Amino acid sequence: MGLKPWQKALFPLRSVGAVVRLFEAELRQPEPDLVLLSLVLGFVEHFLAVNRVLPTNVPGVSFEARPGPEPQSRAYFPVAELSIVAALYARFTAQIRGAVDLSLYPRPEGCSSRELVRKVADVIWNSLSRSYFKDRAHIQSLFSFITGTKLDSSGVAFAVVGACQALGLPDVHLALSEDHAWVAFGAGGLQTAEVTWHGKGNEDRRGQSVAAGVAERSWLYLKGSYLRCTRHMEVAFMVCAINPCIDPHTDSLELLQLQQRLLWLLYDMGHLERYPMALGNLADLEELEPTPGRPDPLTIYHKGIWSARTYYNNEHIYPYMYLAGYHCRNKNVKEALEAWADTATVIQDYNYCREDEEIYKEFFDVANDVIPNLLKEAANAEPAGEGDPEGAHRAGGGPLQDPECFAHLLRFYDGICKWEEGSPTPVLHVGWATFLVQSLGRFDGQVRQRVTLVSRDADPPEDEDPAGDDARDSRRRGPRRESKPEEPPQPKKGAERRRALGPRAEDAAVPAPPPPLPPPAAAAAAPPPGAPPNAAGSSPAGTGSGSGGPGPAEPPGPVLLFQSQKMRGMKDLLRAPKINSSAIKLQLTAQSQVQLKKQKAAPSDYTLAFLKRPRKGL
């Protein structure tokens, strides 16, 4: 069984538009041909980013010339001839069908068995070259597999799914977290199997279920809130995997244009609604080159966050990272800090494990590089008269005069400290503390003192009725996702998360993402209906009203409820008129008080060597 007549009629593919038309035709089918589409994308990417040579230097491959982006320049597009693509297609299908005898693997009720999935994974795995750099670019497609016997980690998982489709196994689908891929199969896709490696290690986990990773609450498996792809979402995955980089400083404009047009095609057909990272990729491309008549990037970023909240229990980190990156690039300091605080609010429900190093690198870079530099730039841009932060704020001062920015910064660190609690591997060290002190010092003492810091074990203010403490506490802490009436001896993050599902369900009922999306936790939020003034974020020193009392009224400040023990212990230090750097460093780097007693982190678990590796491109 080879290519169908209607597929052959679409060849040759001489331009970006021709490739888009092929994808559109396939996406209108109930089962898009993953093998064909991956071979075409790999062919185009190879000759536009890997082997960019003059047309006459590649025998058997022709190039279509057209006017380039610059005057008097020419651009060349590799022509995907039917003969070349059909030969690659036949070679892949013959290799898979010749190696897997389906008669040896019974399929009750048409569902694949774990042994069959393991066999297909073995065929792909054993066909790879024995030694090559597995993190190199442009080895994610079946074109790379057929022509070079090389695949990266996610490429192996995709190849297994493509091979299963070629074998006529419709129940085997791709499963994706934010940094890993495996397959789901069986009735309803309830069974899972590892088919590839992760990170630097090549340990053999083929055939094993991911249930253990889900149970340990690591970010790598998203606590079970991962993408269970349909065939059309698998097409979206291969489009997101397009790598337009020619070298570290140059991208292929043709590949960027192709990726952007294909993502819009998938968006229009509704196949990105449940794919938050694909929406983030599309928003990034729109920021680089806006498409006339399309939504602006900020709307698409919020659409990705809405997708994560609606379909994945708000367990995904990168939708908020995408948004924070956008605001950071546009020097929107307050919005960037809020988005980063939201990422930390999500990560605090996970346990940090050794295989979560990719997200550790993201948070490490944000805390110890991006935020300090962003605040430094804000400080350099501050208007004169910094000695009067109150007056500067009333006159429209910068972000360093805004107590809500300070509250977002504290919520960011609070989430990371909470992430460390109960985790088998430590997170924070003196490097984190150094930059925390530096970032805190950017805010004047009067600004910091306008943020009211509370914790679950805090005493009620004097003007509150002790009998109504629980009701007022619940109203004040309502927007926080992990609020609990009391502190147990060892916090169970699962119970906290279940309490958080109430307000999240209301968010999920929103049919479209409003541009200013409410944060998942209240660092500087409006008060819930019926909440007392103190819950609205006013400082205990002020009444929260704009009139009455001697002297000028102090603007209401935000209220921040700390979730982590470390930040609760630093509550007074953070609001002190002068930063006590030594005390803050000691508190932040102290061993978490809720570390599991039977778990000990080996020295090799706590190394920063991996930070020297190039970051994964998004």
Side-chain angles (χ1 to χ4, degrees):
M1 185 178 75
L3 296 178
K4 300 178 179 62
W6 67 266
Q7 293 173 319
K8 296 179 180 179
L10 295 171
F11 286 86
L13 308 177
R14 298 182 176 275
S15 64
V16 169
V19 177
V20 173
R21 285 191 292 273
L22 171 65
F23 271 76
E24 183 176 9
E26 287 289 345
L27 288 170
R28 297 192 184 282
Q29 307 298 315
E31 280 269 326
D33 195 329
L34 301 181
V35 177
L36 172 62
L37 297 180
S38 183
L39 288 171
V40 168
L41 282 186
F43 174 87
V44 173
E45 182 175 325
H46 178 78
F47 288 105
L48 288 178
V50 182
N51 189 21
R52 290 181 67 93
V53 295
L54 294 175
T56 56
N57 290 357
V58 185
V61 177
S62 60
F63 289 76
E64 187 79 7
R66 57 177 39 84
E70 300 294 334
Q72 310 269 332
S73 66
R74 305 287 287 173
Y76 296 91
F77 190 87
V79 178
E81 299 284 357
L82 175 62
S83 58
I84 298 176
V85 176
L88 295 172
Y89 188 94
R91 181 176 173 181
F92 178 82
T93 53
Q95 178 178 347
I96 299 301
R97 292 170 184 166
V100 180
D101 185 358
L102 292 178
S103 64
L104 301 178
Y105 302 93
R107 299 177 60 227
E109 301 180 358
C111 295
S112 304
S113 64
R114 187 173 299 275
E115 292 74 19
L116 176 56
V117 173
R118 170 67 188 262
K119 175 61 179 177
V120 177
D122 288 345
V123 172
I124 299 296
W125 188 286
N126 295 328
S127 300
L128 298 174
S129 298
R130 295 299 85 177
S131 178
Y132 64 95
F133 183 56
K134 295 177 175 58
D135 284 337
R136 62 179 291 186
H138 311 297
I139 58 171
Q140 77 281 3
S141 69
L142 294 181
F143 180 86
S144 171
F145 175 73
I146 293 297
T147 61
T149 62
K150 297 179 178 66
L151 284 172
D152 59 17
S153 173
S154 60
V156 170
F158 180 84
V160 170
V161 173
C164 289
Q165 186 189 40
L167 291 169
L169 308 177
D171 64 309
V172 181
H173 287 280
L174 193 63
L176 298 171
S177 72
E178 294 185 298
D179 192 41
H180 192 34
W182 57 95
V183 299
F185 62 96
L190 298 180
Q191 298 189 65
T192 58
E194 295 273 18
V195 293
T196 186
W197 65 89
H198 174 262
K200 294 177 291 186
N202 291 339
E203 60 274 11
D204 185 2
R205 298 181 181 178
R206 282 169 290 163
Q208 297 180 16
S209 171
V210 303
V214 172
E216 69 179 1
R217 305 178 65 81
S218 69
W219 166 77
L220 188 66
Y221 296 97
L222 295 175
K223 294 188 294 184
S225 297
Y226 51 82
L227 276 68
R228 295 160 173 84
C229 293
T230 63
R231 284 285 181 259
H232 299 86
M233 291 175 67
E234 288 157 3
V235 174
F237 168 79
M238 77 169 80
V239 173
C240 289
I242 293 175
N243 189 340
C245 295
I246 300 172
D247 58 49
H249 308 288
T250 312
D251 288 342
S252 166
L253 295 179
E254 299 91 344
L255 283 177
L256 287 172
Q257 180 186 10
L258 175 61
Q259 187 178 41
Q260 189 172 10
R261 291 184 60 178
L262 290 177
L263 286 174
W264 275 124
L265 174 65
L266 290 156
Y267 180 94
D268 292 337
M269 301 180 78
H271 301 311
L272 299 188
E273 183 176 352
R274 294 174 179 262
Y275 203 151
M277 287 190 72
L279 291 166
N281 284 340
L282 177 58
D284 279 353
L285 291 169
E286 282 296 302
E287 185 184 3
L288 289 173
E289 187 66 34
T291 304
R294 292 292 191 175
D296 61 274
L298 192 57
T299 300
I300 305 173
Y301 286 124
H302 283 293
K303 176 71 173 177
I305 295 175
W306 173 83
S307 175
R309 291 184 175 184
T310 303
Y311 300 111
Y312 303 107
N313 197 28
N314 199 37
E315 306 282 10
H316 291 199
I317 301 295
Y318 275 109
Y320 296 103
M321 283 289 190
Y322 276 119
L323 179 62
Y326 170 82
H327 285 305
C328 181
R329 289 188 295 272
N330 289 276
K331 309 304 179 186
N332 302 326
V333 178
K334 182 176 180 178
E335 291 79 3
L337 289 173
E338 182 177 10
W340 280 318
D342 291 344
T343 65
T345 301
V346 176
I347 200 67
Q348 70 183 10
D349 287 333
Y350 287 97
N351 290 329
Y352 176 52
C353 303
R354 283 186 298 171
E355 288 192 307
D356 294 342
E357 65 178 35
E358 191 66 34
I359 202 63
Y360 177 94
K361 287 187 293 182
E362 294 284 355
F363 279 108
F364 185 89
D365 287 348
V366 168
N368 304 316
D369 181 19
V370 183
I371 288 180
N373 286 326
L374 189 64
L375 295 182
K376 180 181 179 181
E377 293 177 4
N380 293 336
E382 283 288 301
E386 293 183 10
D388 181 18
E390 297 293 341
H393 180 67
R394 286 191 296 270
L400 299 184
Q401 310 303 329
D402 188 345
E404 292 189 359
C405 290
F406 182 64
H408 292 320
L409 177 67
L410 295 185
R411 183 158 64 92
F412 172 76
Y413 278 96
D414 184 43
I416 294 175
C417 291
K418 185 68 175 177
W419 181 29
E420 185 182 53
E421 292 181 5
S423 298
T425 305
V427 175
L428 300 162
H429 55 82
V430 69
W432 293 78
T434 299
F435 287 99
L436 169 60
V437 171
Q438 178 181 321
S439 297
L440 293 176
R442 297 292 182 185
F443 295 89
D444 187 85
Q446 296 183 47
V447 177
R448 288 186 279 108
Q449 288 175 351
R450 289 175 55 201
V451 179
T452 302
L453 304 178
V454 296
S455 56
R456 286 187 291 251
D457 54 356
D459 295 330
E462 295 179 358
D463 58 344
E464 283 193 11
D465 180 12
D469 176 65
D470 290 342
R472 288 186 173 88
D473 247 357
S474 64
R475 287 197 297 269
R476 180 177 61 216
R477 299 179 307 202
R480 286 296 286 187
R481 302 186 306 111
E482 295 78 24
S483 302
K484 293 185 288 185
E486 59 183 13
E487 175 70 10
Q490 288 193 356
K492 297 181 180 179
K493 297 181 181 180
E496 294 178 356
R497 190 57 166 179
R498 284 192 293 272
R499 288 188 179 90
L501 297 183
R504 287 295 158 222
E506 297 174 3
D507 291 343
V510 181
L517 206 57
N534 279 346
S538 60
S539 170
T543 62
S545 83
S547 61
E554 180 179 313
V559 173
L560 176 60
L561 173 65
F562 279 146
Q563 300 293 315
S564 66
Q565 292 192 10
K566 285 185 177 181
M567 295 300 283
R568 271 182 262 153
M570 289 191 291
K571 187 170 60 174
D572 295 333
L573 296 172
L574 296 171
R575 296 183 73 250
K578 185 177 180 181
I579 296 293
N580 188 336
S581 59
S582 299
I584 291 176
K585 290 179 180 180
L586 286 173
Q587 177 70 18
L588 191 70
T589 57
Q591 184 179 7
S592 177
Q593 301 176 20
V594 291
Q595 291 288 330
L596 301 181
K597 294 181 179 179
K598 64 180 180 180
Q599 293 175 325
K600 296 182 180 179
S604 59
D605 296 343
Y606 194 41
T607 174
L608 299 182
F610 56 78
L611 293 175
K612 299 178 182 178
R613 256 181 37 186
R615 285 175 54 183
K616 181 180 66 175
L618 297 178

